[in-house]
Amino acid sequence: MRIALAGAGAFGEKHLDGLKQIDGVEIVSIISRTAEQAEAVAAKYGAKHSSTELADALARDDVDAVILCTPTQMHAAQAIACMEAGKHVQVEIPLADSLADAEAVLAKQQETGLTCMVGHTRRFNPSHQFVHNRIVAGEFAIQQMDVQTYFFRRKNMNAKGQPRSWTDHLLWHHAAHTVDLFAYQAGPIVKANAIEGPIHPELGIAMDMSIQLKAESGAICTLSLSFNNDGPLGTFFRYIGDTATYIARYDDLVNGKEEPIDVSKVDVSMNGIELQDREFIAAIREGREPNSSVAQVLPCYRVLGALEEQLK
């Protein structure tokens, strides 16, 4: 499986580290905003090609699939371009920053039949897999999810603290993780409400947001998001259920008493990004729909689109 990666920033390197752990995968091409960064990352990961233009990778006959870790605003158009070039594609979250663009990506996937997967990593983190397995087995039913997504991002910085060329978004990016996960764990969402705080004068986005969700099952979710929170940083999920309480912090899981739960045997790795990439590669090889396919996650973007209309 020969891979091109576009967007060699902080998250792009997480994917490259994961891909190194998967047998039979070759990283062929690195695309980045500057030639210097593309060349440096290509040298680090043994890719024979680098460029500042995605089209250069798409024109290569030694590229089977593309992973997009580019700015949110480019995701939909680039995913469509990949499929038009006959390449399978994994798009980092979010798929798009509008419902119309998300639907256009799904239409292109259905037209081409190629694998198109979206990076909803929470479906793959061992912590959330553990909870999902208990739900599927009928051993646990969610009553409520309480989620906090907190960062300190009053300037355009990426996960490495480096300047970012684009503006991140609480609704279309960070809320997408929880909206999709809640539907994945509790069932289809039938009601959604949102309020937001003041718009940042320079970044032009709301820095604080609160979202309420209700599933067809009756389960509810309360999501608090902030770019103003000066620690602790990250996303923390509390699952309140009929038989247990769980707190998930990325790949780790504890119970309501903060006692660790061993999730090391849930999957072949403890790295959610690697597991996500393994699913992408396996789905292509096996000719099947991946978990977190564009079709599976589109309901999430319908909810986000409805919430955006509310906030207007």
Side-chain angles (χ1 to χ4, degrees):
M1 194 64 60
R2 299 166 300 182
I3 304 291
L5 181 130
F11 225 80
E13 290 210 13
K14 290 184 180 183
H15 279 279
L16 293 168
D17 290 336
L19 291 168
K20 286 196 307 183
Q21 307 302 317
I22 306 173
D23 290 340
V25 169
E26 178 187 359
I27 299 162
V28 172
S29 176
I30 300 293
I31 309 299
S32 198
R33 192 162 49 92
T34 68
E36 294 77 13
Q37 185 180 37
E39 289 168 6
V41 175
K44 179 178 178 180
Y45 290 94
K48 57 190 173 188
H49 175 257
S50 66
S51 174
T52 59
E53 300 298 324
L54 177 61
D56 292 344
L58 298 184
R60 296 181 67 94
D61 59 9
D62 60 351
V63 169
D64 301 310
V66 181
I67 296 177
L68 298 174
C69 301
T70 48
T72 293
Q73 295 80 3
M74 305 167 77
H75 285 180
Q78 289 184 334
I80 289 169
C82 289
M83 289 184 280
E84 286 178 339
K87 314 297 186 188
H88 304 285
V89 61
Q90 180 186 172
V91 194
E92 247 318 316
I93 193 171
L95 171 62
D97 58 1
S98 78
L99 178 56
D101 283 352
E103 289 175 333
V105 177
L106 176 60
K108 181 58 67 174
Q109 187 281 321
Q110 291 173 333
E111 173 194 322
T112 62
L114 292 161
T115 300
C116 181
M117 177 177 164
V118 189
H120 285 261
T121 314
R122 302 296 163 258
R123 292 178 177 229
F124 301 95
N125 293 118
S127 53
H128 298 295
Q129 279 201 58
F130 177 94
V131 176
H132 188 74
N133 292 343
R134 289 210 68 201
I135 292 168
V136 171
E139 299 167 353
F140 180 74
I142 294 171
Q143 310 297 316
Q144 180 175 180
M145 280 176 64
D146 186 72
V147 186
Q148 299 173 329
T149 294
Y150 291 156
F151 300 99
F152 192 62
R153 295 252 178 98
R154 292 179 185 168
K155 296 187 182 300
N156 256 349
M157 296 289 185
N158 68 15
K160 286 185 170 181
Q162 299 164 336
R164 188 179 245 159
S165 63
W166 54 284
T167 304
D168 204 359
H169 202 282
L170 287 176
L171 179 65
W172 285 99
H173 177 185
H174 296 286
H177 278 295
T178 296
V179 171
D180 180 69
L181 180 68
F182 180 59
Y184 184 62
Q185 304 285 48
I189 293 167
V190 295
K191 191 171 183 180
N193 302 307
I195 55 173
E196 64 183 6
I199 303 299
H200 191 279
E202 293 173 28
L203 299 179
I205 58 170
M207 302 290 283
D208 292 276
M209 190 173 293
S210 175
I211 294 174
Q212 293 175 307
L213 305 169
K214 185 171 185 177
E216 199 172 70
S217 64
I220 62 172
C221 175
T222 303
L223 168 60
S224 170
L225 306 108
S226 181
F227 281 154
N228 275 320
N229 181 65
D230 194 6
L233 307 180
T235 303
F236 315 105
F237 300 81
R238 179 182 290 269
Y239 289 97
I240 300 171
D242 56 345
T243 57
T245 292
Y246 299 112
I247 302 166
R249 300 183 179 99
Y250 295 97
D251 295 309
D252 298 319
L253 189 69
V254 298
N255 64 18
K257 299 178 177 65
E258 292 284 345
E259 297 165 339
I261 294 170
D262 182 10
V263 294
S264 62
K265 304 294 190 294
V266 168
D267 212 324
V268 296
S269 167
M270 279 290 289
N271 180 340
I273 303 295
E274 177 193 331
L275 294 172
Q276 177 181 314
D277 290 340
R278 284 182 179 276
E279 173 67 1
F280 179 52
I281 302 300
I284 297 169
R285 286 173 171 162
E286 296 163 17
R288 61 170 174 81
E289 180 182 5
N291 185 7
S292 197
S293 69
V294 61
Q296 289 178 13
V297 303
L298 197 72
C300 162
Y301 294 91
R302 290 197 183 105
V303 171
L304 298 179
L307 291 174
E308 183 175 70
E309 290 302 311
Q310 272 188 33
L311 292 171
K312 285 179 182 176

